[in-house]
Amino acid sequence: MKLENPVQSLFALLFGLLFLSPALYSIWLSFQTADAYYAGGLEFTVDNYGRAVGQYHFARYLLNSVIVSGIVTVGGISIATLAAYAFARFRFRGGDLLFGAVVATLMIPSHISLIPNYLTLAKVGLLDSYAGLILPAMASAFATFFLRQYIRGIPRSLDEAAYMDGATSLQVLWRVIVPLSRPAILSMALFIFIGEWNSYIWPLVAIGKDDLYTLQVGLARLYRINPGEGVIDWPLVMAASTISILPVLLGFALVERHLVRGITMGAVK
Amino acid sequence: MARKFLPYFYILPLLAFIAVFTYIPIATSINLSFREWDFMSATKPFVGLENYQLLLTSTEFWNSVKITAIFAIISVPLRLALALMAASFLTSEKFAPRMLRGAFFLPSVTSTVSIAVVFSWVFSTDYGVANALLKHIGVGKIPWMQDPQLALLVLILVNTWKQIGYDIVIYIAGLQAIPQELYDAAAVDGGRRFHVFRRVTMPLVMPTTYFLLVISVIEAFQVFTIVNVMTHGGPASATDMLVNMLYRVGFTLFDIGTGSALAVLLFILLIALSLIKSRVIGRKVHYEA
């Protein structure tokens, strides 16, 4: 069975909807009033979004997430591209060893640095700040590794032609390597963005102030503090949840191919 | 001559971040694991192996190890079996399989907190969908999140739902790499579908299977978000997985020494698993069909 005829396609579509139904139903729920929902009825409203954004600060959390993920993505991809370029194109003493040290971090579980990073940032007074969220996330070993492999596939003759024209090595990077690596850079930027957008344990320990919460921490807290009296106000929580997944859902629709390619290339040699 | 130093400048930012936030912390964790500290006091007295001793003789630690192991033992085979099954239907590049692949993949890029919150609602006793559906077939309310075994099972299901799209994508890449001639040959020999699957597909995706096996075991040992949001390790420590215990000991009990010792043990375990991945698998598991 290859899922090619219309009946099978329809079946595939239904199966996909069924698989996603918890998420789809949660969005549906976010547009209902809590009173009707608990009484077993059905009544539509957008008020849950209004309350989530206003009263429960999700506009602020959204802004925080956008700022933090945005800076981590731009900074992280720049740092990774620069390093990948050096590792791919220059022979220098200790280069292989240092590249090994970068790749080895892929094996290191991030939780070992949880307590130490907390202490480091406390020492320099960066807990409860954007910088405290951003700095520990800036190095992406995976993106560096991936981009180095990609850059090595670009013919060196192109670099050399540019050098002949009097370009500096940074100009070669910017005018030759970056344009030719655009799909790989885009894949990795997405990879970094999604990882940072969804990250939870670090913002949870590094941030104690409400106005610096990211969406993920804010959502977990909204669910925990349980704004409904006695019962959880599920429609409100689902509105907040929808706000926190929407940007990724929209982005995903646009770039699914790039993302899948990036992930597959990382796994299957 | 500046040119000689250029590559060092290019890698400097990356190396600086990695040193400060990855390598030095390993040393710090090891150091702290031999000390007693609560974040506050001015001194951090050296206590030797006491933290490790305490940990390795506590029922709390072994409970966490047991639960994490159970989680891995159930969730990993479940994920791989379902993923391989789904992937074998989805290898073509036609519209429907691509849509379905997208649907499966979506949760793996969605925020784990959102997923945890949504499933907290699905499995909530009074207003959840799971119990509402069960009511139709005459089953009474099941206290999913209040029952120790069911709570762990729910976490396993949620984790599977989230991660399976990734497994499927990797399996599809593995399946697409199998030469069509092998299937043609099997068809000529009159192989039945199940037989072809067992004799051709299974052995040839073995490298992919081992890759996913190790990756998902490593992942199982790092599960935190769904535990933190859905159960907080409860009821009665029934879902207190290792990283949740680390978070609890470090950031709610402020027992930095024991927390660091736990982090070091987890680190050693996961590095060992990673080495198995790169060594044994690279050598042993190749096409043997």
Side-chain angles (χ1 to χ4, degrees):
Chain A
M1 191 162 88
K2 286 277 183 213
L3 300 180
E4 279 160 7
N5 70 47
V7 177
Q8 290 172 351
S9 299
L10 187 69
F11 176 77
L13 186 71
L14 287 177
F15 197 83
L17 288 176
L18 182 69
F19 180 77
L20 293 177
S21 61
L24 297 172
Y25 201 89
S26 78
I27 297 172
W28 168 251
L29 179 57
S30 73
F31 290 105
Q32 299 180 26
T33 65
D35 291 344
Y37 174 66
Y38 289 119
L42 187 62
E43 194 177 76
F44 294 106
T45 176
V46 289
D47 179 51
N48 298 317
Y49 287 88
R51 284 193 300 147
V53 165
Q55 194 181 346
Y56 294 103
H57 310 155
F58 272 71
R60 180 65 203 229
Y61 303 159
L62 181 67
L63 179 73
N64 293 338
S65 277
V66 168
I67 290 174
V68 171
S69 304
I71 295 177
V72 166
T73 305
V74 174
I77 200 71
S78 308
I79 290 170
T81 307
L82 198 58
Y85 173 57
F87 285 128
R89 282 298 200 246
F90 294 83
R91 288 196 60 81
F92 51 100
R93 190 184 291 266
D96 290 341
L97 186 74
L98 291 171
F99 183 65
V102 172
V103 174
T105 64
L106 290 172
M107 285 202 294
I108 297 171
S110 60
H111 302 115
I112 183 118
S113 35
L114 196 61
I115 292 173
N117 285 352
Y118 182 87
L119 299 175
T120 307
L121 292 176
K123 204 179 290 169
V124 292
L126 286 179
L127 290 174
D128 281 325
S129 74
Y130 284 142
L133 290 177
I134 291 165
L135 293 175
M138 282 296 244
S140 173
F142 182 68
T144 307
F145 171 76
F146 185 88
L147 290 173
R148 171 191 179 256
Q149 301 303 98
Y150 196 92
I151 292 170
R152 275 157 60 112
I154 298 172
R156 258 174 199 276
S157 54
L158 296 174
D159 299 30
E160 276 148 23
Y163 281 123
M164 296 288 252
D165 291 342
T168 65
S169 63
L170 271 184
Q171 282 168 333
V172 170
L173 172 63
W174 189 244
R175 301 251 164 84
V176 179
I177 301 293
V178 168
L180 289 172
S181 312
R182 191 167 289 159
I185 291 175
L186 184 63
S187 286
M188 288 302 106
L190 271 169
F191 194 81
I192 296 173
F193 182 85
I194 290 173
E196 186 55 29
W197 185 269
N198 294 338
S199 76
Y200 180 61
I201 193 167
W202 178 246
L204 181 68
V205 302
I207 299 296
K209 285 205 317 227
D210 183 84
D211 57 353
L212 286 176
Y213 284 154
T214 60
L215 279 172
Q216 312 312 330
V217 177
L219 177 61
R221 279 188 65 93
L222 177 69
Y223 168 58
R224 287 255 152 235
I225 58 170
N226 194 356
E229 286 149 24
V231 289
I232 296 171
D233 189 342
W234 284 117
L236 170 70
V237 173
M238 292 314 166
S241 164
T242 305
I243 292 172
S244 84
I245 58 175
L246 216 56
V248 172
L249 287 189
L250 293 178
F252 179 77
L254 295 175
V255 293
E256 183 242 343
R257 283 230 140 173
H258 286 292
L259 200 67
V260 168
R261 182 175 46 198
I263 284 166
T264 328
M265 278 199 234
V268 183
K269 279 137 261 173
Chain B
M1 181 67 199
R3 204 174 141 64
K4 211 174 133 195
F5 296 105
L6 268 180
Y8 294 102
F9 284 118
Y10 295 164
I11 61 173
L12 186 66
L14 182 76
L15 291 184
F17 279 109
I18 284 181
V20 173
F21 293 110
T22 304
Y23 280 111
I24 295 171
I26 297 173
T28 311
S29 278
I30 294 171
N31 180 18
L32 288 171
S33 75
F34 296 121
R35 295 173 183 278
E36 194 183 305
W37 195 39
D38 60 3
F39 268 137
M40 297 297 165
S41 31
T43 59
K44 306 170 192 167
F46 185 83
V47 294
L49 289 170
E50 199 180 288
N51 292 321
Y52 289 96
Q53 204 180 2
L54 222 68
L55 211 54
L56 293 171
T57 54
S58 74
T59 48
E60 211 184 334
F61 172 71
W62 291 109
N63 174 59
S64 263
V65 171
K66 190 184 87 186
I67 286 161
T68 311
I70 293 175
F71 186 100
I73 288 167
I74 300 177
S75 80
V76 173
L78 183 70
R79 273 173 60 176
L80 298 195
L82 291 176
L84 180 55
M85 216 161 70
S88 57
F89 285 111
L90 299 175
T91 50
S92 111
E93 292 295 328
K94 289 274 173 13
F95 179 74
R98 285 202 49 221
M99 286 299 286
L100 196 48
R101 256 188 262 168
F104 284 136
F105 190 65
L106 206 47
S108 66
V109 294
T110 303
S111 112
T112 314
V113 175
S114 281
I115 289 173
V117 166
V118 167
F119 277 94
S120 294
W121 163 69
V122 168
F123 288 105
S124 79
T125 311
D126 289 322
Y127 297 98
V129 187
N131 280 347
L133 288 175
L134 287 172
K135 203 174 145 194
H136 286 297
I137 55 167
V139 179
K141 279 182 183 170
I142 296 175
W144 297 99
M145 307 311 290
Q146 285 77 46
D147 179 281
Q149 267 111 46
L150 288 179
L152 187 61
L153 191 69
V154 168
L155 292 185
I156 290 171
L157 287 179
V158 174
N159 187 61
T160 305
W161 188 78
K162 177 171 165 60
Q163 299 292 350
I164 198 159
Y166 173 82
D167 303 344
I168 292 174
V169 164
I170 304 293
Y171 261 133
I172 287 173
L175 289 172
Q176 286 175 337
I178 298 176
Q180 184 61 37
E181 297 89 70
L182 290 172
Y183 288 112
D184 296 343
V188 169
D189 290 346
R192 304 241 312 272
R193 177 170 292 167
F194 175 71
H195 205 72
V196 173
F197 183 78
R198 253 201 67 191
R199 297 287 169 192
V200 179
T201 313
M202 285 271 276
L204 287 175
V205 291
M206 226 17 158
T208 312
T209 302
Y210 272 81
F211 172 82
L212 286 174
L213 180 75
V214 179
I215 287 275
S216 47
V217 170
I218 290 174
E219 234 170 52
F221 277 85
Q222 304 196 66
V223 166
F224 170 73
T225 305
I226 52 174
V227 177
N228 179 267
V229 175
M230 296 183 74
T231 67
H232 262 220
S237 303
T239 57
D240 189 23
M241 295 178 66
L242 281 165
V243 177
N244 192 58
M245 180 178 173
L246 169 60
Y247 173 77
R248 230 166 19 82
V249 171
F251 292 94
T252 62
L253 304 176
F254 302 111
D255 183 346
I256 299 308
T258 311
S260 298
L262 184 54
V264 170
L265 290 177
L266 194 63
F267 171 75
I268 294 170
L269 182 76
L270 292 176
I271 291 287
L273 281 171
S274 288
L275 289 177
I276 293 175
K277 181 177 92 185
S278 43
R279 292 278 152 73
V280 180
I281 290 168
R283 237 177 277 147
K284 221 168 121 188
V285 194
H286 270 295
Y287 306 141
E288 39 185 50

